[in-house]
């Protein structure tokens, strides 16, 4: 599978997985069958990594600069004071 054929989003994964399943349905020699098995393993790994990346992106989106800029001047100051009152680092988000 060349780089240009890699799934661009998790919604595309099923296409590649279905293609690999169809390869298993035909009579393959040992070497191509091993490659199909390797690619299926890589797809499982890609799903796992993709889920981790999306979870991280979700977590990072909670503290984006756009969200901070959307707040009034009062809100960040109040949040910092509340963090200080709780014994936390006031600069931490």
């Amino acid at each position: 599978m060349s780089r240009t054929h890699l799934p661009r989003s998790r919604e595309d994964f099923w296409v590649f997985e279905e293609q690999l399943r169809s390869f298993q349905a035909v009579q393959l020699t040992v070497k191509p069958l091993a490659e199909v098995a390797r690619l299926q393993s890589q797809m499982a790994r890609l799903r796992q990594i993709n889920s981790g990346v999306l979870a991280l992106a979700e977590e990072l989106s909670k503290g984006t600069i756009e969200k901070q800029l959307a707040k009034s001047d009062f809100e960040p100051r109040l949040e910092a004071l509340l963090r200080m009152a709780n014994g936390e680092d006031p600069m931490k988000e």
Side-chain angles (χ1 to χ4, degrees):
M1 197 179 272
S2 73
R3 288 190 125 167
T4 59
H5 294 100
L6 290 175
R8 288 181 179 81
S9 73
R10 67 179 168 183
E11 289 80 25
D12 296 336
F13 291 172
W14 73 270
V15 174
F16 294 90
E17 291 165 338
E18 187 61 34
Q19 184 64 56
L20 291 170
R21 277 191 288 282
S22 71
F23 287 147
Q24 283 185 313
V26 297
Q27 291 289 332
L28 295 175
T29 60
V30 173
K31 192 171 183 178
L33 191 58
E35 181 64 5
V36 168
R38 184 188 74 79
L39 291 172
Q40 285 175 319
S41 173
Q42 291 297 310
M43 284 302 299
R45 185 168 179 247
L46 180 60
R47 276 191 177 278
Q48 182 181 28
I49 291 169
N50 183 263
S51 293
V53 168
L54 292 175
L56 181 58
E58 174 69 25
E59 184 65 29
L60 290 174
S61 73
K62 295 175 184 173
T64 62
I65 190 67
E66 289 83 9
K67 287 191 176 192
Q68 294 302 318
L69 292 174
K71 294 179 181 179
S72 69
D73 288 341
F74 175 75
E75 287 175 289
R77 293 180 181 127
L78 176 61
E79 289 168 358
L81 286 172
L82 290 172
R83 282 191 295 274
M84 283 174 55
N86 288 329
E88 300 172 19
D89 179 358
M91 300 306 286
K92 182 181 172 195
E93 279 298 316

